Amino acid sequence: MSALHIKKGATRHSAYNLRPNFSDVQERHTIAVLVENEPGVLARVIGLFSGRGYNIESLTVAEVDHTGHLSRITIVTTGTPQVIEQIKAQLGRIVSVHEVHDLTVEGPSVERELAMLKVVGDGEKRVEALRLADIFRANVVDSTLNSFVFEITGAPDKIDAFADLMRPLGLAEIARTGVAALLRGD
């Protein structure tokens, strides 16, 4: 007797779709969460991520409505589409959470980040650092005889590119705010 040789997921031999409907592709998502501005809310949101082993690439929190006592948490994370959906569903179940928006799927959005970079060097390296800062539209916010502190605003990729170019010129320190994001249009 010969064995049946039906490939897994072959739908022409089965009434059921045996192909998995999930993806192993890691996607980067920006999630905006509107929460009550009260003690412990941020800890509950972050606890949701850490308790399940999810990574947070960027986290920004600020009060956005003083009279309504509401804060906006902007989280950049990566995961499979199923993990992202699970994160959004679990965020929505937290009592203090008013709204959860996945800016990556809801439409075009604008993402910006602020960074300050300290570059230490002299001579030609200082001149090259100033030239690159001009190209990237970075501002000099502090200067000494052997260092500059640059302020740069833009998309995270722009800040990464600027930092990569400053490394060989004496990048000593960097501070980043994290991503702030809004949907475009109405």
Side-chain angles (χ1 to χ4, degrees):
M1 176 174 257
S2 68
L4 276 172
H5 295 293
I6 300 175
K7 290 170 35 176
K8 183 176 180 183
T11 56
R12 64 181 191 173
H13 298 291
S14 173
Y16 303 100
N17 182 5
L18 301 176
R19 290 190 177 102
N21 60 353
F22 55 88
S23 170
D24 291 335
V25 177
Q26 295 282 319
E27 299 175 346
R28 180 182 175 275
H29 283 253
T30 303
I31 300 171
V33 186
L34 194 63
V35 299
E36 293 177 22
N37 188 14
E38 59 186 31
V41 174
L42 180 60
R44 285 194 293 277
V45 169
I46 300 313
L48 182 148
F49 281 80
S50 65
R52 289 160 182 82
Y54 303 146
N55 187 40
I56 296 175
E57 292 183 9
S58 174
L59 175 70
T60 308
V61 184
E63 187 176 42
V64 293
D65 183 359
H66 298 294
T67 58
H69 302 291
L70 296 176
S71 290
R72 181 183 175 105
I73 302 173
T74 305
I75 303 166
V76 177
T77 188
T78 55
T80 63
Q82 295 74 30
V83 166
I84 299 297
E85 288 303 317
Q86 186 178 19
I87 288 171
K88 292 188 301 189
Q90 290 170 346
L91 282 170
R93 286 189 214 116
I94 297 174
V95 174
S96 309
V97 171
H98 290 263
E99 297 175 13
V100 177
H101 297 281
D102 186 348
L103 302 180
T104 306
V105 297
E106 288 185 17
S109 63
V110 177
E111 291 186 1
R112 290 292 179 266
E113 185 174 6
L114 172 85
M116 294 193 312
L117 298 89
K118 182 191 289 185
V119 179
V120 178
D122 52 11
E124 276 301 309
K125 288 186 176 184
R126 284 176 64 88
V127 173
E128 181 66 9
L130 285 171
R131 189 183 70 75
L132 288 170
D134 186 49
I135 291 170
F136 278 83
R137 295 192 174 117
N139 298 315
V140 176
V141 293
D142 184 59
S143 177
T144 66
L145 293 175
N146 63 349
S147 71
F148 289 114
V149 174
F150 295 106
E151 172 190 75
I152 184 169
T153 305
D157 292 343
K158 175 184 175 182
I159 293 172
D160 290 340
F162 185 65
D164 289 343
L165 290 171
M166 288 296 163
R167 274 182 187 44
L169 301 177
L171 179 63
E173 197 172 348
I174 185 168
R176 296 174 80 149
T177 60
V179 173
L182 289 174
L183 283 174
R184 294 184 66 215
D186 298 337

